[in-house]
Structure formats: C-alpha cells, structure tokens
Amino acid sequence: MKYGRLLMTVFLVLMFLVGCNTVKKGQETSKSACKEVVDWVDFMIINQITYVRNSDETMVIKPEQIGDKVGEVNYTLSGHACSDHVSQNGDAAFLPIGTEVRELKGYQSQFRVVAEGNIYQADDNPNASTLGDLLDIEGKVQKVSLESGIDGSRIGDFSKDAAADFISELIPLKYVGFDEVYKKAKHESGVFLRVHLQDGTSFRMVFYPKANAFTDGAFGTEKLKRLIMSQRQQIKAAAGM
C-alpha cells in the first residue's frame, strides 16, 4: 500500500549498520531479528482506511458517543515489525491485538473512529473521490485559524464568511492522495491552518501556495488559493507580523 504522508513522519533510528529481516505476524521480535528502533506514528488500518490518532482532541469521549464496531486490530507493529514491514488491513502501530475499533457518533466512520477511548482520524482513504469523502466536516466547522509554521501557535482566525467559503470550496476538491501532492510540493514551505469543529476538536491542514495543494491529498482552486492567501495577509497584518 502507499503510506502517504503518514509514513513520511516515521523516523528511523539505526542502532546497527545491519540489515533487518521482517518478522512475520504472530512472531515476537528479538534483538537478533530486527536490529533497529522504529519510531512509529500512532496509526492503524481498518477497512483499508489509514487512520492516525488525533492528538489535538480536547473532548472526553462519553459512552453514548461510541457506536457500532467497525473492525479490530490483528497485529501490533511496535515491538514486532521492522522498518521494511508492509502495513496491511488490521495493522496498528501501538494498539494491542484484539482492540475493537468503533464508530464515533456524529461522524462517518470513514472519517473518525474510536479505539481505547481515543479519536483516530482518516489520513488516507483509497475509496475517497473528493476531500469531502475523506473529511466528514460539512456543517460541523466552528472556525478556521491560521497558525505559526514555527511553533504551531494560533495567529488569528478567518472571518466567519471566509471560513464558510473555505469549507464550501474545500469539500468538492478531487481527492488524489498525499503522494501526488508531494510530487509538486516537496520543496515548498506551507501555510499552517487549523480547522476547529463544533464538538471542540480540531485538526491541522497544511496548504502549499505554489503547488496550490493540501497535505490532505487535494489540489485547490484559484478561488480557494486567493481566499487563503488574502486571509493570511489580513490576519498577519492584524497581528503586527
């Protein structure tokens, strides 16, 4: 499978200048079998969709918010897999084997699910046709913010109308996946945006102006680009930047 931006954030710390033999599922990793340490991102693959834990979540998930089971973990990579392991359906970086993955009520399971009390958000969906298929956020957005690319701090918010226009333009964009975006944006600095949802959670989006593309796996329209850059200029000016 294509790892996309998920595995672009996996960092390898090589402890020995020796190759690694992939450990088969069901076997324990031994020091002699895999001579490296892999710093896994907290992800899982369920129903062919790659989810990453939303570390920006700010709400406590109540029992009544948890829906039906959509899958379960059948292999844990951390402590068992080497860096050349090809992840597949049912794999998870840290979640134990047998962990149930359930719906988060209020969202399509293709976008967000719950496992061990944490929200996991879709990072790659091979069945998505539009960004709206990946991100179930229509009618759920509270505001859109501009963040610092240095420390991630909030600089300011889009106007209410601009935020609404941003979402309406974003949702229909054709989903192409991160790999296609990376080909054009890999040497470019991005504009850091944060989408705040009505339930108090949020997530970051990075927009690359020259490539006119989003890390979420879509190329923007000229109208959307003008909107983002105009709001960025106004927000930074108001902040004295």
Side-chain angles (χ1 to χ4, degrees):
M1 63 164 287
K2 293 184 178 179
Y3 288 93
R5 62 175 172 152
L6 166 65
L7 295 188
M8 288 301 299
T9 58
V10 176
F11 300 98
L12 302 181
V13 181
L14 298 180
M15 304 302 292
F16 300 91
L17 296 178
V18 183
C20 170
N21 295 318
T22 302
V23 179
K24 295 181 180 179
K25 290 190 176 184
Q27 294 181 339
E28 292 295 324
T29 299
S30 65
K31 292 182 179 180
S32 61
C34 187
K35 298 179 179 179
E36 61 186 3
V37 175
V38 184
D39 188 8
W40 298 105
V41 172
D42 192 351
F43 81 101
M44 62 180 172
I45 304 175
I46 300 294
N47 299 324
Q48 308 305 325
I49 300 172
T50 301
Y51 297 90
V52 176
R53 180 180 171 182
N54 180 6
S55 58
D56 300 315
E57 63 196 55
T58 56
M59 72 173 186
V60 176
I61 301 173
K62 300 176 182 178
E64 58 267 26
Q65 292 177 285
I66 301 176
D68 295 335
K69 179 179 175 180
V70 297
E72 69 176 56
V73 175
N74 57 40
Y75 183 58
T76 305
L77 277 66
S78 181
H80 299 88
C82 300
S83 63
D84 59 356
H85 172 79
V86 178
S87 295
Q88 56 189 288
N89 204 46
D91 283 3
F94 302 108
L95 295 171
I97 293 174
T99 298
E100 292 189 345
V101 180
R102 293 186 169 273
E103 297 175 337
L104 176 62
K105 292 182 179 179
Y107 295 102
Q108 295 178 3
S109 60
Q110 292 91 335
F111 172 54
R112 280 182 168 180
V113 291
V114 178
E116 290 200 328
N118 296 310
I119 296 173
Y120 284 78
Q121 183 166 309
D123 185 80
D124 177 67
N125 182 352
N127 298 315
S129 298
T130 67
L131 212 51
D133 294 334
L134 181 77
L135 307 173
D136 177 26
I137 59 175
E138 188 173 10
K140 301 178 174 72
V141 177
Q142 181 184 50
K143 64 180 181 180
V144 178
S145 299
L146 175 70
E147 293 187 336
S148 167
I150 299 174
D151 59 11
S153 60
R154 174 184 164 277
I155 299 175
D157 300 331
F158 281 30
S159 70
K160 186 175 181 179
D161 288 343
D165 288 344
F166 172 81
I167 298 302
S168 65
E169 284 288 314
L170 186 76
I171 295 299
L173 296 179
K174 181 180 178 181
Y175 180 72
V176 298
F178 175 77
D179 289 352
E180 291 302 310
V181 168
Y182 182 70
K183 291 176 184 177
K184 292 189 175 182
K186 58 184 176 181
H187 299 303
E188 185 182 350
S189 297
V191 176
F192 287 69
L193 307 174
R194 182 164 295 278
V195 177
H196 302 262
L197 302 182
Q198 294 170 351
D199 62 6
T201 61
S202 66
F203 61 93
R204 173 179 285 175
M205 301 186 75
V206 181
F207 174 69
Y208 297 101
K210 292 181 181 179
N212 195 0
F214 296 87
T215 48
D216 297 78
F219 292 99
T221 62
E222 286 302 315
K223 179 180 177 180
L224 187 54
K225 177 180 177 178
R226 287 194 300 269
L227 186 153
I228 294 170
M229 300 311 290
S230 174
Q231 286 295 300
R232 178 176 182 261
Q233 184 179 23
Q234 293 177 37
I235 291 170
K236 293 186 75 172
M241 300 174 67

